[in-house]
């Protein structure tokens, strides 16, 4: 490492970069880890960047991947900077001690956003707080939406996930020059970033690269290929072009993003519908990552820190007044949730018994959250006792109706609860003691593999972060999870099949609820 009056200089495999010192932390932003994914590289796996001569300035965040903006209802709560430019496959490094020899633990952050939005430039993700506490932090931009997860007959699947792999390989090869230890990499993500982290942790090509992983509000999973194809086909129908990568590459980028946003209105995390996702590709993702991790055929020795927020679903139901609409729809909304989860009638009955004062929206939200998130994480922890640590974030936002919603924990993990972008979701005055507790647990886990409470065992310990004194509850979600193990469930219909009566009434209910969602989003 060298330094001059402008800041620290580090040499990467493709050229030297000059960062900045901020509050005693060396920060390098916008470092390219792959070539711009456009022109002949569009919809293709990432390629190495072109080397550069001299010292490249790394003082500002690089371009973000193409993405549509959040709707007005969601933009009130979530920030998503849009930085123009083609060189969007870039990353940022915060380090307290640039230069070889420090061998500090490394945390690699994958942002969320349903694989369609988000970036490493969100101020909540300021890695300087981790560097301040002795952890080198790296945050990554990757392709999103149809550019990163469209499924085409003439292009390889999962280019966005392949971007993340390229970034991970860059970190493993280069991070020692920034003071990090390539043998102590923790891969951390939230929501879609957690799903991505789980897929990479299970990938044969990453074995030996990842020491441990943090999965926040996202389980290891893959999407049905037909579901992803439907998004592409609906976009193609609106654009009046073939559903091929070649045809999509010829479309104006702005028009492509607007079309993607229009089609995306028809789905939601609660109700399902067509959506982009990681798919089994026989290469990077050879099979179900949850199964590989649970059976110990992948990342056998990796420690896992996993968890959820108490009221995940409220981020999708509160904006635009959908929470009240679901309560008014009553049985129709419940039918939609049952279809989404392929659940029999015993499961909602069980939730009514466990939560006798809950309204329909809460029952629907908790059912879907448990089915998609808590049940798979429980089962993964059961398969890896002694190496899994679970948490629940239960502190409610100070903003009306949000509760402990999806993404609320991020300002606490990064200890950035006082930045305006965190306050958009949490409100003003987030308790600093909760920031300290949660951030310290993540730092400890990245450094040692132990966040500070008991590992998962037969008693099912879960660390509850709620703003009070630190506490561990044993099996706080066991009763709900047990419903999915014991209650009758509706078998998932075979792919390509068309549901027949008596499922027609249920399908009609789901369509009615989706129309209500679409009306609110307009």
């Amino acid at each position: 490492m060298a330094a001059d009056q402008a800041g620290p200089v580090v040499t990467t495999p493709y050229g030297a970069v000059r960062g900045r010192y901020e509050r005693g932390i060396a920060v390098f932003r916008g470092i390219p880890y792959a070539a711009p994914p456009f022109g002949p590289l569009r919809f293709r796996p990432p390629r190495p960047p072109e080397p550069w001569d001299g010292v490249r300035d790394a003082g500002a965040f690089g371009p973000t991947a193409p993405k549509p903006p959040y709707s007005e209802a969601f933009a009130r709560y979530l920030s998503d900077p849009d930085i123009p430019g083609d060189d969007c496959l870039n990353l940022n490094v915060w380090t307290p001690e640039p230069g070889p020899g420090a061998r500090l633990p490394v945390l690699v952050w994958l942002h969320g956003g349903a694989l369609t939005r988000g970036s490493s430039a969100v101020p909540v993700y300021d890695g300087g707080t981790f560097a301040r506490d002795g952890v080198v932090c790296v945050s990554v931009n990757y392709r999103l939406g149809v550019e990163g997860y469209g499924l085409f007959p003439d292009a390889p699947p999962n280019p966005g996930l392949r971007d993340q792999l390229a970034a991970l390989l860059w970190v493993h090869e280069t991070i020692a020059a920034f003071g990090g230890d390539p043998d102590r990499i923790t891969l951390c993500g939230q929501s879609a970033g957690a799903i991505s982290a789980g897929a990479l942790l299970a990938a044969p090509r990453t074995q030996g690269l990842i020491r441990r992983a943090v999965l926040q509000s996202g389980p290891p999973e893959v999407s049905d290929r037909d579901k992803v194809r439907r998004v592409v086909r609906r976009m193609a129908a609106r654009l009046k072009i073939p559903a091929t990568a070649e045809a999509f590459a010829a479309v104006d980028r702005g028009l492509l993003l607007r079309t993607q946003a229009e089609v995306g209105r028809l789905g939601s995390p609660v109700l399902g519908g067509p959506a982009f996702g990681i798919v089994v590709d026989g290469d990077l993702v050879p099979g179900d990552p949850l199964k590989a991790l649970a059976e110990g055929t992948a990342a056998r020795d990796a420690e896992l820190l996993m968890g959820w927020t108490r009221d995940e679903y409220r981020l999708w139901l509160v904006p635009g007044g959908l929470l009240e609409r679901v309560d008014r729809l009553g049985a129709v909304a419940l039918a939609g949730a049952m279809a989404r989860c392929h659940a029999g009638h015993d499961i909602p009955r069980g939730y009514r018994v466990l939560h006798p004062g809950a309204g329909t929206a809460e029952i629907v939200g908790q059912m879907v959250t448990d089915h998609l998130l808590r049940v798979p994480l429980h089962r993964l922890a059961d398969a890896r006792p002694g190496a899994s640590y679970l948490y629940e974030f239960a502190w409610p936002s100070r903003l009306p109706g949000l509760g402990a919603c999806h993404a609320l924990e991020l300002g606490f993990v990064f200890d950035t609860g006082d930045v305006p972008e965190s306050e958009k979701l949490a409100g003003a005055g987030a308790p600093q003691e909760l920031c300290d507790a949660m951030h310290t647990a993540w730092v400890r886990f990245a450094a040692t593999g132990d966040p500070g409470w008991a590992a998962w065992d037969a008693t099912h310990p879960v660390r509850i972060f709620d703003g009070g004194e630190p506490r561990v509850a044993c099996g706080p979600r066991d009763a709900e999870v047990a419903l999915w193990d014991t209650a009758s469930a509706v078998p998932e219909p075979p792919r390509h099949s068309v549901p027949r009566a008596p499922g027609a009434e249920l399908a009609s209910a789901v369509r009615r609820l989706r129309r209500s969602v679409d009306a609110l989003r307009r």
Side-chain angles (χ1 to χ4, degrees), residues 289-381:
L290 180 62
K291 182 179 179 182
L293 292 171
E295 293 180 350
T297 58
R300 187 187 307 273
D301 299 323
E303 299 99 349
L304 301 178
L305 173 57
M306 308 179 288
W308 50 78
T309 69
R310 184 189 62 197
D311 308 310
E312 297 272 2
Y313 65 95
R314 285 182 172 266
L315 182 61
W316 296 290
L317 296 188
V318 169
L322 188 55
L323 190 78
E324 294 79 8
R325 178 72 62 88
V326 170
D327 273 334
R328 287 199 300 271
L329 286 170
V332 174
L334 198 58
M338 290 167 62
R340 172 79 166 109
C341 302
H342 311 292
H345 291 282
D346 289 348
I347 290 180
R349 287 195 200 105
Y351 277 84
R352 291 288 190 196
V353 171
L354 292 172
H355 305 279
T360 300
E362 183 175 351
I363 295 295
V364 166
Q366 295 293 3
M367 271 182 58
V368 175
T369 299
D370 288 345
H371 173 68
L372 297 179
L373 178 59
R374 295 185 182 118
V375 170
L377 291 185
H378 260 248
R379 290 173 179 165
L380 183 54

Side-chain angles (χ1 to χ4, degrees), residues 4 6-10 16-20 27-29 55-59:
D4 59 23
V9 177
V10 171
V17 292
R18 179 187 294 111
R20 302 288 188 273
V27 186
F28 302 81
R29 296 182 174 93
V55 179
R56 182 184 181 118
D57 185 71

Side-chain angles (χ1 to χ4, degrees), residues 393-404:
F393 183 83
W395 181 81
S397 169
R398 299 192 188 282
L399 300 180
L402 288 178

Side-chain angles (χ1 to χ4, degrees), residues 82-105:
D82 185 13
I83 303 173
D86 286 355
D87 210 354
C88 60
L89 300 187
N90 57 70
L91 51 77
N92 317 295
V93 181
W94 290 262
T95 175
E97 197 172 338
R103 308 290 290 188
L104 296 171

Side-chain angles (χ1 to χ4, degrees), residues 24-316:
I25 300 300
V27 186
F28 302 81
R29 296 182 174 93
I31 305 173
Y33 66 84
F38 300 105
L41 298 184
R42 200 167 183 191
F43 300 110
R44 300 293 163 181
R47 299 283 181 84
E50 287 293 326
W52 58 87
D53 296 324
V55 179
R56 182 184 181 118
D57 185 71
F61 286 113
T64 54
K67 58 190 173 178
Y70 280 116
S71 68
E72 183 178 349
F74 282 93
R76 291 175 52 199
Y77 301 106
L78 302 173
S79 296
D80 195 10
D82 185 13
I83 303 173
D86 286 355
D87 210 354
C88 60
L89 300 187
N90 57 70
L91 51 77
N92 317 295
V93 181
W94 290 262
T95 175
E97 197 172 338
R103 308 290 290 188
L104 296 171
V106 180
L107 185 142
V108 177
W109 173 251
L110 302 178
H111 67 80
L115 300 179
T116 58
R117 295 176 175 87
S119 79
S120 65
V122 176
V124 179
Y125 310 150
D126 184 349
T129 57
F130 279 99
R132 175 197 68 198
D133 295 324
V135 176
V136 177
C137 185
V138 181
S139 61
V140 178
N141 281 340
Y142 54 93
R143 277 175 284 182
L144 302 169
V146 73
E147 301 276 359
Y149 296 92
L151 194 55
F152 299 100
D154 56 338
N158 300 321
L161 190 69
R162 295 172 192 274
D163 295 343
Q164 296 169 3
L165 172 62
L168 185 61
L169 291 168
W170 185 98
V171 171
H172 196 265
E173 180 180 2
T174 310
I175 205 62
F178 291 85
D181 184 348
D183 294 325
R184 286 200 290 167
I185 293 174
T186 297
L187 187 59
C188 181
Q190 184 266 348
S191 193
I195 293 170
S196 302
L200 289 172
L201 185 65
R205 292 169 61 182
T206 69
Q207 300 312 293
L209 299 181
I210 304 168
R211 181 65 192 86
R212 49 188 64 101
V214 183
L215 309 182
Q216 299 174 215
S217 301
E221 68 176 21
V222 287
S223 295
D224 176 67
R225 294 174 69 93
D226 287 341
K227 180 178 175 181
V228 179
R229 282 196 188 99
R230 283 200 298 274
V231 186
V232 174
R233 288 170 180 165
R234 289 181 182 185
M235 289 183 65
R238 285 174 180 257
L239 293 166
K240 296 181 172 56
I241 60 172
T244 64
E246 181 181 14
F248 271 61
V251 176
D252 172 77
R253 283 191 216 172
L255 176 59
L256 200 61
L257 290 177
R258 290 192 296 273
T259 305
Q260 177 182 303
E262 291 167 2
V263 170
R265 284 207 313 264
L266 302 177
S268 81
V270 174
L271 296 174
F276 294 108
I278 297 166
V279 298
V280 172
D281 57 20
D283 173 22
L284 181 56
V285 187
D288 182 355
L290 180 62
K291 182 179 179 182
L293 292 171
E295 293 180 350
T297 58
R300 187 187 307 273
D301 299 323
E303 299 99 349
L304 301 178
L305 173 57
M306 308 179 288
W308 50 78
T309 69
R310 184 189 62 197
D311 308 310
E312 297 272 2
Y313 65 95
R314 285 182 172 266
L315 182 61
W316 296 290

